[in-house]
Amino acid sequence: MTMTTTDLTKTGVAGGRSRMPSVPEQPTEGTPTRSSAGRVSVAVYAEDLILQSGMVHQLRLRPEIELIPEEEADRAQVSLVVVDMVNEATVQLLHRLQRNTSTRTGLVVGFFEPGALQTLIEYGVAAVLRRGEADQDRLVHLVTAIAKGEGVLPGDLLGKLLDHVSSLHRTVLDPRGLSLSTLTAREAEMIRLVSEGYGTAEIAQKTSYSERTVKNVLHEVATRLDLRNRAHAVGYAMRHGLI
């Protein structure tokens, strides 16, 4: 793969050479030099020179973007991966990029197979844009959103993601009494009863647990979430929509 100035040849991407697109040309006389302050630093990784050149051409003149040279790629705020499809080479690259916790990764992809969504989730891809929609403004929006800690997905992929989460909840978590929230079903039920004014003995009676278990459960929630008391636990649960 090619990287905004990095030779991905050295990354071991399948098929041989991958490198980073060339660094932006030095400004010619009369061309203003932009400060890097306030700009998003981006390392672009592409499958081939054509994709590389196209992506660099789109981004290099935008004042919001600072393209990063190969030797400084690890300091980029955003790693932008540009591929035809998510294959083994792409997965290897995403896995390598995931190790750098100071950068977030976005993907510009030509063809997106349904099964690739799980891979992107596993390897921490923050945003996806289809190449057919990747004009300059959308690319800049994608990069700046990633830098702000936001996620961006095409509408159909967002729908698939929600279906995936629903399936995970239904088939994996529910049978174990767990949820995607920070509370188990039992913890949420006990805090809900606290919010309704019930004491320990009443909660024990309603949930068919011993008073000791109720106290232990509520103590565990308070300790795990760094909550001061039961009232704090109720407030936390209500603010986060857990009860």
Side-chain angles (χ1 to χ4, degrees), residues 21-36:
S22 307
V23 190
E25 296 173 357
Q26 295 298 318
T28 56
E29 188 175 354
T31 301
T33 302
R34 300 187 181 99
S35 166
S36 63

Side-chain angles (χ1 to χ4, degrees), residues 138-213:
R138 286 192 178 96
L139 283 170
V140 172
H141 170 73
L142 184 82
V143 166
T144 53
I146 294 171
K148 292 175 184 176
E150 300 172 1
V152 180
L153 283 177
D156 61 314
L157 292 188
L158 179 59
K160 288 184 174 69
L161 176 60
L162 294 176
D163 288 343
H164 176 78
V165 171
S166 176
S167 174
L168 174 65
H169 201 296
R170 185 175 59 255
T171 61
V172 178
L173 300 180
D174 283 348
R176 293 169 172 77
L178 303 173
S179 74
L180 289 173
S181 73
T182 50
L183 301 177
T184 66
R186 181 174 70 169
E187 291 168 345
E189 174 64 9
M190 290 186 181
I191 292 178
R192 183 186 65 78
L193 291 171
V194 170
S195 74
E196 294 175 359
Y198 292 106
T200 300
E202 294 168 306
I203 294 173
Q205 183 179 18
K206 287 180 174 294
T207 59
S208 300
Y209 290 107
S210 68
E211 291 185 35
R212 181 182 180 85
T213 297

Side-chain angles (χ1 to χ4, degrees), residues 61 106 113-114 124 168:
L61 296 180
E113 293 181 327
L168 174 65

